[in-house]
Structures are given as C-alpha cells and as structure tokens.
Amino acid sequence: MSEKLLEIQAAVENGKAKQVAQLCQEALDAGENAADILNKAMIGAMSVVGTKFKNNEIFVPEMLIAARAMKKGVEVIAPALKDAGAEPIGKLIIGTVAGDLHDIGKNLVAMMIEGAGFEVMDLGVDVPKEKFIETLEANPDVEVVALSALLTTTMPAMKEAMEALQAYTAKTGRKLKVIVGGAPITQAYADEIGADAYSEDAAGAAEVAKQVLADLKAGK
Ligand code: B1M
C-alpha cells in the first residue's frame, strides 16, 4: 500500500473523520484509484477495528467513531466510484434487515448498484419486513429487492423478510428478484432461504443485480 493509503487506514482506525476526508481528497488528486482507497485503506481499517473489538481492545464507541470516519471518506470518493448516470435500467429497493444497525456495507452496495445503472431506493437500517412490502406496494415498478445483514443474530430477520416477500409474490403474482449479502451471509444460506442471488461484496452485488434483472426480463 502507498504511504497515502496507509495514512488513510490509520486515520479511519483512529476515527479522525476530518483527516480521513482530507486524505481521501489528496489521494484522489494524487491519482490513487478510488477502489483501492476503499478496499485496501478503509475496509482494511474496519477489519482491524473489528478484530480489536472482538479482542476487547476497543468498545462500541470507538467502533462507531471509526465508522463515522469511514463514512466521511466514502462521501469524498463516492463520485469517483460511481459511473455517470444514464437512464436507469431498473428500480431496486435496499435495506439492512430488522434489528441490524450496520449500514456502511449496505451503503456501498447501494452506491455500486446505482453505478451499474439502477434507480435505488434506500430504506435504511433496522427495516421491518412490513416496510419492504409497503414500499413494494407503493412502487409497482420495483423489480429487485436487496437485503443486507451484518450480525449472525439478524440472519433470522433476513429469512423472515424473505418469507414475507415470497408470501407477497405468491399472493399478488408479481415478479420480483431478491439478492442478499453481508458478512455472515453465505451462498448456502442464500439458497436455504430461497434468495435469487448472493454476493460477498459490493462490486459483486452490482453484477448479480444486473443478472437477476436480466433473468426477470427473460421470464426466468
Ligand atoms: Co458492529 N459488529 N456491532 N458495529 N461492527 C461487527 C459486524 C462484528 C463482526 C464485530 C466483531 O465482533 N468482530 C460483530 C458481529 C459478530 C457477529 O454477529 N458474527 C459486531 C457486533 C457484535 C456489534 C454489536 C452487537 C456490538 C454491541 O453492541 N455489543 C452492535 C449491534 C448493533 C445492531 O446492529 N443492532 C454493533 C454496533 C456497531 C456500530 C453501530 C458501533 C458500528 C456500525 C456503524 C454503521 O454501520 N453505521 C459497528 C461497526 C462499524 C462494525 C464493524 C467494525 C465494521 C462494519 C463495517 O462497516 N465494515 C464490524 C467488524 C467488521 O466488519 N470487520 C462489526 C465495512 C463494510 C464495508 O463491510 O458491512 O461487511 P460490510 O459490507 C461488505 C460485505 O458484507 C458486503 O459488501 C460490503 C462491501 O464490500 N455486503 C453485501 C453487505 N451487505 C450486502 C448486501 C448484498 C451484497 C453484499 O446484497 C444485497
């Protein structure tokens, strides 16, 4: 990693939000790749933070401060991560499932999916299954639903959201595709709960969103 990326990583780990924003801008100006800033420096920092938390070296407040710092950095690099928008290829709703407050990964996924040409409605965090259904009812043009979960304890809420979506499509005959992801989610779990696709990261989520939309349009 370059010196600048190492500086960004350290600033995220230490929760220095202003410094992170400034360093990200400097890195972009110096020609660093936005994806490297994200994947190597910032996600790398969150992984260190997660390990320290697990080992009781830091606690929730420090984790929160690091997350805020990363969000500031993401704001700076977001335009460079997204492609310039053309006509939307489809409409998608995304949310972190009930009981789960983690949104950094979900926000990155939303950003990459938007960059892939979708119009994205972000329902936020701690989204009850009823809210997904209400949003679908109010937006008949939505074709893809994206569910994120970061905790093993909220995996059942993802399953419940999936069941509610299946009951809704069975009742209405509406065609929908559901994609899932998040740190504890695996392809096996996605299959078990009947999701249409899974991705382990944000770039992959944009790819699978395009794929399921193509499948839907092809009547699959
Ligand atoms: Co929390 N937390 N946290 N946390 N937190 C984790 C997830 C944890 C792994 C830390 C640890 O113990 N090592 C652990 C979960 C353990 C488990 O369940 N197995 C944990 C815990 C335990 C908790 C609390 C329970 C702590 C407590 O209160 N005792 C609590 C729960 C609160 C709740 O949600 N109800 C909690 C709280 C928090 C904060 C609020 C302080 C803060 C979140 C702030 C925020 O998001 N606004 C926080 C943070 C920051 C973390 C860590 C450190 C970082 C998460 C993150 O943003 N990662 C995390 C440890 C870690 O991940 N290393 C941890 C960076 C982000 C880019 O990655 O979110 O994985 P990620 O997203 C990736 C992929 O997962 C994927 O793409 C993204 C980009 O590549 N992806 C998808 C995500 N969604 C997808 C959807 C898709 C496809 C791919 O398709 C739809």
Side-chain angles (χ1 to χ4, degrees):
M1 256 201 289
S2 70
E3 195 61 36
K4 189 59 83 188
L5 293 191
L6 287 170
E7 278 184 62
I8 294 173
Q9 180 171 2
V12 172
E13 276 177 49
N14 296 318
K16 307 274 184 213
K18 263 196 198 158
Q19 205 182 336
V20 170
Q22 193 187 331
L23 288 168
C24 283
Q25 190 57 57
E26 285 171 16
L28 286 177
D29 293 345
E32 288 279 4
N33 181 289
D36 284 346
I37 300 176
L38 177 67
N39 295 319
K40 295 184 182 164
M42 295 204 281
I43 295 184
M46 292 317 260
S47 151
V48 174
V49 168
T51 305
K52 284 187 178 166
F53 174 76
K54 212 167 149 187
N55 297 336
N56 292 322
E57 289 167 40
I58 60 165
F59 301 95
V60 171
E62 288 95 333
M63 198 154 68
L64 197 52
I65 291 167
R68 283 205 194 120
M70 173 157 173
K71 278 190 176 180
K72 284 282 170 211
V74 171
E75 275 170 32
V76 174
I77 63 165
L81 281 176
K82 289 188 211 169
D83 289 336
E87 269 296 289
I89 57 169
K91 197 164 170 184
L92 173 149
I93 59 176
I94 187 166
T96 305
V97 299
D100 199 322
L101 302 175
H102 295 85
D103 69 353
I104 296 180
K106 183 266 295 164
N107 293 347
L108 288 171
V109 169
M111 202 187 291
M112 295 304 281
I113 291 178
E114 216 171 62
F118 281 83
E119 180 183 341
V120 175
M121 292 178 71
D122 188 346
L123 306 186
V125 295
D126 189 15
V127 182
K129 55 184 192 281
E130 295 81 8
K131 174 83 179 164
F132 286 107
I133 305 300
E134 279 164 27
T135 309
L136 285 170
E137 282 170 346
N139 294 275
D141 51 348
V142 169
E143 290 157 307
V144 185
V145 179
L147 305 175
S148 176
L150 256 289
L151 298 168
T152 43
T153 49
T154 55
M155 289 168 71
M158 178 177 270
K159 183 167 189 265
E160 283 170 24
M162 196 62 228
E163 284 165 358
L165 291 166
Q166 283 162 340
Y168 171 72
T169 51
K171 194 174 93 187
T172 59
R174 183 168 169 178
K175 300 282 175 234
L176 275 180
K177 295 284 180 186
V178 185
I179 65 173
V180 297
I185 309 302
T186 58
Q187 181 67 57
Y189 189 70
D191 293 342
E192 185 190 318
I193 65 173
D196 296 292
Y198 157 80
S199 163
E200 70 171 0
D201 60 25
E207 288 308 311
V208 297
K210 281 195 286 187
Q211 186 55 53
V212 295
L213 183 69
D215 289 348
L216 188 95
K217 300 222 187 275
K220 286 190 215 162

